[in-house]
Amino acid sequence: KADDDSVSTMISTLTVDSVEPPDSALLKKLCKGALAADRAGLEDLSALLVTRFETDSATVKLKVLRVLMVIAEKVPAIQDIWKTKYLYLVQAATNYETAPDPEHGDKPQMRVRGAAQKVMTILTGADIASAEAEAEAETQAAAEAEAPAAAEAQAAAEAQAAAEAQAAAEAEAQAI
């Protein structure tokens, strides 16, 4: 297991705020270390990624998400940590917004959102967009299922009211 300074240095290097892509050999080395790490080591690794993720830079956020994608796919044990402790961060990043980049416009924030969506899929095993669509479909189906029941209840109430009105009319007729 690599010591914390070395892991911290690797994460800082992999998530540096520059247009240069992360070094794939260094990412492999980080994954190898994560595979050999115990739960405490994975907690420390996650905390370092979170610290970098909280940086106010779309580039850094994107790189952290990409590093997390790779590690989460290769080291399933880290998924539990992210699901229980940090899922809210990834969820929030699916709606990430920042001022448009002077050179790239909205592209950086769109890339962060897309990467966050992929990480959510890895962590939860479900696509957020399809989960939202499923929830909407379930709500629609429930409303459709309730509609006939509501119509039946209304018809029954109307029949009851008509029967009561007829009974009242008959009672009145007998009284005369």
Side-chain angles (χ1 to χ4, degrees), residues 4 7-8 11 43-53 64:
D4 286 349
V7 171
S8 178
I11 290 173
E43 295 264 1
D44 292 344
L45 170 63
S46 295
L48 291 167
L49 286 171
V50 167
T51 299
R52 290 297 292 156
F53 188 74
V64 169

Side-chain angles (χ1 to χ4, degrees), residues 12-26:
S12 293
T13 302
L14 288 167
T15 62
V16 69
D17 195 356
S18 76
V19 295
E20 296 300 314
D23 177 355
S24 60
L26 188 58

